[in-house]
Amino acid sequence: MSDFQMKTKVVSGKNSLVRLQEIRNKRVWVICDAFLAEGEGVQKVLTQIDASNQVQVFSEVVPDPPIATIALGIAQAKEIKPQILIAFGGGSAIDTAKGVYYFANQLGDVCIEQLIAIPTTSGTGSEVTAATVIADPEARIKYPLFLEELVPDLAILDASLVVSLPANITANTGIDVLTHAIEAYV
């Protein structure tokens, strides 16, 4: 016998970002990296969010999110008190958002009602899993966390976000996915 359950509601297809238009009168916080924040990437998300919302962007995401970035995000979450958190980007952005989401809620000063993941790279799977990885560069250790609370409520999969990436990032994320698959097998 086998069971399968998935908490995450998945919206996919052309123009699936329009689902964000349903959010009204909320404090929305978008977590992404500087590349997406400075370019047109995050604008694709922001233009879909209704004007009734208060929106802020956290663009401090770096590869292999370190504890310091998660701590910075938690400190900002205490100030902003977001109700909706949108993780926008590759695996590192989603991992950062999950870490901030979980620990900020655990500390009790913040009550984030919904975690939405919008991946811009193929194959991380982080948008539908209960896993995140946080790095401690000083100790040279990565801490994997597996908690049901980390599973996003909604994943929005829009292929146009992946197609618009520079070729080198597409290639790098493809190799990253292959590496994760080999690691999981071993």
Side-chain angles (χ1 to χ4, degrees), residues 21-170:
Q21 294 174 6
E22 296 174 7
I23 302 169
R24 306 271 184 198
N25 302 307
K26 299 285 185 180
R27 287 181 307 279
V28 179
W29 197 28
V30 180
I31 293 182
C32 63
D33 62 27
F35 173 79
L36 289 170
E38 293 167 3
E40 296 176 11
V42 81
Q43 291 306 314
K44 292 179 182 181
V45 170
L46 298 179
T47 58
Q48 297 298 325
I49 299 174
D50 186 75
S52 68
N53 297 291
Q54 297 173 26
V55 181
Q56 294 197 25
V57 176
F58 176 86
S59 61
E60 307 300 321
V61 172
V62 295
D64 297 322
I67 293 170
T69 301
I70 304 300
L72 178 62
I74 293 167
Q76 288 189 20
K78 287 181 180 182
E79 293 174 20
I80 297 168
K81 300 202 181 303
Q83 296 165 292
I84 308 288
L85 193 157
I86 298 174
F88 179 63
S92 294
I94 296 172
D95 280 355
T96 300
K98 284 179 168 184
V100 171
Y101 170 79
Y102 177 74
F103 289 110
N105 277 336
Q106 289 297 308
L107 292 172
D109 293 335
V110 179
C111 182
I112 302 169
E113 301 165 9
Q114 187 177 33
L115 175 60
I116 300 171
I118 306 173
T120 58
T121 59
S122 299
T124 69
S126 191
E127 69 273 9
V128 294
T129 67
T132 193
V133 178
I134 300 171
D136 182 348
E138 291 178 18
R140 298 176 64 183
I141 296 174
K142 289 184 180 181
Y143 298 103
L145 302 175
F146 299 95
L147 302 161
E148 283 302 311
E149 296 94 325
L150 295 174
V151 178
D153 301 296
L154 175 65
I156 299 176
L157 309 178
D158 189 326
S160 70
L161 298 172
V162 178
V163 173
S164 65
L165 287 176
N168 68 325
I169 293 176
T170 300

